[in-house]
Amino acid sequence: MRFTKDHEWVELEGDVATIGVTAHAAEQLGDVVFVETPEVGKTVKAGDAFAVVESVKAASDVYAPLSGEVVEANAVLGDAPETVNADPERGGWFAKLKVANPAEYEALMDRAAYEAFLQTQ
Amino acid sequence: MSETALKTTPLTEAHVALGARMVPFAGYSMPVQYPMGVMAEHLWTREHCGIFDVSHMGQARLTGVSPLSAFEEVVPGDYIGLKAGKQKYSVLLNRQGGIIDDLMAGRPTSADGTPDDGLFVVVNGACKDNDFKVIDDELAGQVESRRLEDRALIAVQGPEAAAVVNGLVPETTSMVFMDIRSLKGLETDLIVSRSGYTGEDGYEISVPAGEAARVWTLLLADERVRPIGLGARDSLRLEAGLPLYGHDLDETVSPVEAGLTFAINKNRREQRDFPGAARIVKELAEGPARTKVCLRVLEGAPAREGAEVADEAGAVIGVVTSGGYSPCLKAGIALAFVPPAFKAEGTKLKVIVRGKAQACEVVASPFVPHRYVRKV
C-alpha cells in the first residue's frame, strides 16, 4: 500500500489501483455523512479532485493519487458513508482506477514514509 | 490572522486540556469540537445537556437617563415595554433597514425583584467592536455602554440543562424562557438567562472571568453534561432554523426578509421610528423582494453556503446562506433566500451542488421543534 501527502492510500493489483483515504484522514474528517464517488469511465490525472467526502461541518475534496480511468466506484458508500470511518483502509475504499503509468505508484510514499510524514504535521 | 494574534477566552486552557480541536473564530481561538466529535456532541445536546463556551460574544451594560427609550433608536423592538426580569431578541439596524447584528438585550432582576440599572446586552463576537461603536455613536449623550470584558459566558443547553442548572443554582428553577436574573450563586455573581441558540431549553450564564474555569469544571462534574464545540453549535442552531450573522444575516438583509418580523413590535411599526423604517414598513405591507426559507435536501450531497437554488425548470432563483447535514433528520438541510413566490411549504426546488441539480423542498421552520420552557 502507498500513500500521498493528501492522506489518500493506494493499493495496486496488476494495473488496477484501489484508492481510499487513510485512517488519519478519516479521524480528522470526523463522522462522514456523504461521499461523492467518481463516475465509472471518467479519466483522471494524478492530483485531480475526483471524489468528495463530507462531514457534518464541511465538504473536502479527495485527490486522485494516480492517473487513469475509473473502472469501479464503491457503491457501499452511497447508503453507508460511515464505512469511511469504520474501515477507512479497506471496506471504505472510494474507487478503482485502471492506471495509465504504474511508475506513478512507485513514486508514492510507503507506510513508513507516510507515518514519518504524519509526525511532521 | 496568525495564531499568535488570536485572543483567548478564560476557558481556552480548559478546552485544550479536554483535547479540543481549536480553530480561529471571530478573532479568538475556539474549540470546534472535542474528542467526542461533532455528530455525538450534537446528539448529546438534543438528548442530555451540552455546555458551550460563548465568551467571545460581546457582553455590555447600557446605562443612561432613559436607556430603554434610547435603545429603541437603533432597534425595532419594544424595549420601553420590556418588563423587568425579561430579555428580548432584536436586531441592530442601519439606516437602510439592513441588519448590523442580531442581539439579546434584557433587564436582569436581583433576588428581591429590583431591576439592574439599564440594559444588559449580548452581541455576536465577530461584530462586537462595530456594534458598540454604532451604539456609542448613535446614542451619544443618551447612553453609556460599558463592555464587560471581564466576564465569560457559558451556554448550558438540552433537555437535562434545567435539572443541572437548577441543582447548582436553585433560584433559576422558577425562571421561564427569556427570563433574566442577576444572582449570587456558585459562590460568585451571575447573570443568568433562560435562553440559548440551539432550540433546546437551557440557560446562558455570565460569570466573572476569574470564576469561569471553576464553574465550567463544576458543570462538567455532572455526568449528564458534556462540552460541545462550535461545530455542533452550528448544526444545532441550523436545525432550530435560527439565522447566523455573517451568513444568513448581513447589512443588506432586512429583518422582514430574514423572517424576523416577530422582532418588529406592533407599536414600533406604527411609530416608524427605527432606522430603515420606510423600507421595513413597506416590506411588511407589500412583502419583501426575497425571503428566508428552510430547505430539506431530498437527494444527494448536503447543500452548503453559496449553493444556488433553482426552480423546477432550472432557473436560478436564490442562494443557500447556510446549510449542512442534520444529525437528527439524517438529511441535508439549509437556509436560503428566494423570491416570496417560492416560500410556501411543499414547494419543490433544486439546489445546485458541484454542478448537479438536486431535488429539495421548502419545509416549515424550525427543522427540529423548539423545546423552550414557557411556564414552570
Side-chain angles (χ1 to χ4, degrees), chain A residues 24-39 51-61 81-82, chain B residues 21 32-33 36-40 42 230-232 234-235 299-304 323-327 353-354 356 358:
Chain A
H24 170 81
E27 198 270 326
Q28 287 294 308
L29 287 165
D31 300 285
V32 172
V33 298
F34 184 84
V35 176
E36 185 173 294
T37 52
E39 282 174 29
V52 179
V53 57
E54 303 211 17
S55 65
V56 175
K57 190 145 179 59
S60 309
D61 285 326
E82 64 274 14
Chain B
R21 190 181 298 171
V32 67
Q33 64 168 85
M36 195 158 87
V38 176
M39 180 85 81
H42 180 114
L230 292 176
D234 190 48
S235 53
E299 60 180 0
R304 300 186 188 271
Y325 180 83
S326 162
V353 179
R354 295 184 287 273
K356 282 186 199 148
Q358 302 174 182

Side-chain angles (χ1 to χ4, degrees), chain B residues 89-171:
Chain B
Y89 174 85
S90 197
V91 288
L92 194 59
L93 293 173
N94 65 29
R95 285 170 194 170
Q96 292 73 45
I99 300 172
I100 297 170
D101 198 6
D102 60 340
L103 55 82
M104 286 284 188
R107 303 179 64 198
T109 45
S110 319
D112 65 0
T114 314
D116 292 359
D117 197 18
L119 276 170
F120 171 70
V121 300
V122 180
V123 304
N124 281 301
C127 305
K128 61 185 178 183
D129 292 338
N130 184 54
D131 290 349
F132 293 121
K133 184 176 185 304
V134 168
I135 289 169
D136 288 343
D137 289 352
E138 295 294 324
L139 308 181
Q142 300 184 77
V143 158
E144 189 184 337
S145 72
R146 182 166 56 87
R147 291 176 62 170
L148 308 178
E149 305 273 14
D150 56 348
R151 296 188 76 89
L153 191 62
I154 300 171
V156 187
Q157 301 281 293
E160 294 176 342
V164 169
V165 174
N166 297 164
L168 292 169
V169 188
E171 295 88 337

